[in-house]
Amino acid sequence: AQKVTQAQTEISVVEKEDVTLDCVYETRDTTYYLFWYKQPPSGELVFLIRRNSFDEQNEISGRYSWNFQKSTSSFNFTITASQVVDSAVYFCALSEARDNYGQNFVFGPGTRLSVLP
Amino acid sequence: DGGITQSPKYLFRKEGQNVTLSCEQNLNHDAMYWYRQDPGQGLRLIYYSQIVNDFQKGDIAEGYSVSREKKESFPLTVTSAQKNPTAFYLCASSLRGRSTDTQYFGPGTRLTVL
């Protein structure tokens, strides 16, 4: 069965520090997709990135970067020079690529990031 | 602007009452989903719908019901049979409902049972 673990329940950093959020997943499939979402205090989940299992290149988008390593089943998320607006709960999610439908989405428990001014 | 709307934002219910949460999308997505979020936990799937007039139970469907009469709308009813309904409810949609599609979320409804 698929599973997503986010071992860090809460992280606090001071503004401008770099921070890495860990995500470890379990799946028996060779084809799958990984996602990161941001949930600010308003509650809505905001999509950040989608990565398939065949693409292990690191991704960078502004201050955000993602490190995908199949060898360790990890898909870690780094925020460089953190800002107060980055304070949120971040979820990692896994979806196995099958012919059926979106019920295969599995979310981790989330990591609450607090960026202090 | 395209997106997903949920209403109301906050909902209070007395024990024994049924309540219906609204979810509307104008993204022209085929698939829609309902999730429940409890404090400190991830999202758990309640129901999903691939097409109009069709829906499937998720992991925690007991005490909930849905309908999908229109492509744009996927209301969720929390019935009196749901033993612990106080939670944050999130609606989502995806383009074709395939396992690999990205799901996009609405702003959520916070339900409190008094």
Side-chain angles (χ1 to χ4, degrees):
Chain A
Q2 53 183 351
K3 182 180 178 182
V4 175
T5 301
Q6 295 178 257
Q8 305 150 307
T9 304
E10 296 189 30
I11 301 176
S12 291
V13 298
V14 177
E15 204 169 17
K16 298 185 182 178
E17 287 185 357
D18 298 347
V19 58
T20 295
L21 309 182
D22 297 333
C23 173
V24 174
Y25 61 91
E26 295 178 24
T27 179
R28 294 181 179 179
D29 282 14
T30 56
T31 303
Y32 51 89
Y33 286 75
L34 295 162
F35 302 80
W36 274 96
Y37 287 87
K38 173 183 180 180
Q39 186 177 40
S42 60
E44 178 176 351
L45 262 72
V46 177
F47 166 70
L48 296 177
I49 190 171
R50 171 179 176 261
R51 176 53 55 89
N52 75 62
S53 54
F54 298 107
D55 182 3
E56 288 193 71
Q57 284 191 351
N58 289 337
E59 177 96 9
I60 298 175
S61 177
R63 296 183 297 106
Y64 294 171
S65 63
W66 290 269
N67 183 1
F68 176 32
Q69 291 193 342
K70 289 179 72 172
S71 60
T72 56
S73 297
S74 64
F75 186 44
N76 296 337
F77 173 32
T78 297
I79 302 174
T80 302
S82 60
Q83 300 176 1
V84 173
V85 293
D86 295 327
S87 296
V89 180
Y90 291 86
F91 290 96
C92 180
L94 165 70
S95 182
E96 294 168 337
R98 301 176 183 173
D99 291 333
N100 53 15
Y101 308 123
Q103 74 274 22
N104 288 319
F105 247 70
V106 172
F107 287 85
T111 296
R112 180 177 298 278
L113 173 65
S114 298
V115 181
L116 308 174
Chain B
D1 289 335
I4 302 172
T5 58
Q6 291 185 242
S7 62
K9 188 173 179 64
Y10 298 97
L11 186 58
F12 298 91
R13 187 195 92 174
K14 293 182 180 179
E15 285 193 23
Q17 287 182 337
N18 294 352
V19 290
T20 297
L21 283 59
S22 170
C23 177
E24 305 274 335
Q25 56 98 1
N26 61 3
L27 300 169
N28 199 31
H29 283 176
D30 288 340
M32 297 185 74
Y33 310 82
W34 274 105
Y35 290 91
R36 170 179 171 141
Q37 184 181 18
D38 293 286
Q41 297 188 32
L43 279 66
R44 292 183 291 168
L45 183 66
I46 304 172
Y47 268 98
Y48 66 97
S49 170
Q50 175 80 1
I51 56 173
V52 174
N53 292 323
D54 183 65
F55 47 83
Q56 304 295 326
K57 292 182 179 180
D59 300 322
I60 55 167
E62 184 176 352
Y64 300 98
S65 65
V66 294
S67 63
R68 186 87 186 276
E69 298 177 0
K70 299 187 300 182
K71 185 175 183 178
E72 302 79 16
S73 178
F74 191 40
L76 173 74
T77 296
V78 184
T79 74
S80 57
Q82 170 49 234
K83 296 180 180 179
N84 185 21
T86 295
F88 188 55
Y89 291 88
L90 285 156
C91 178
S93 71
S94 67
L95 184 61
R96 294 286 177 261
R98 288 187 289 260
S99 300
T100 57
D101 287 346
T102 297
Q103 294 186 14
Y104 296 92
F105 287 81
T109 292
R110 191 167 300 280
L111 172 63
T112 302
V113 174
L114 304 174

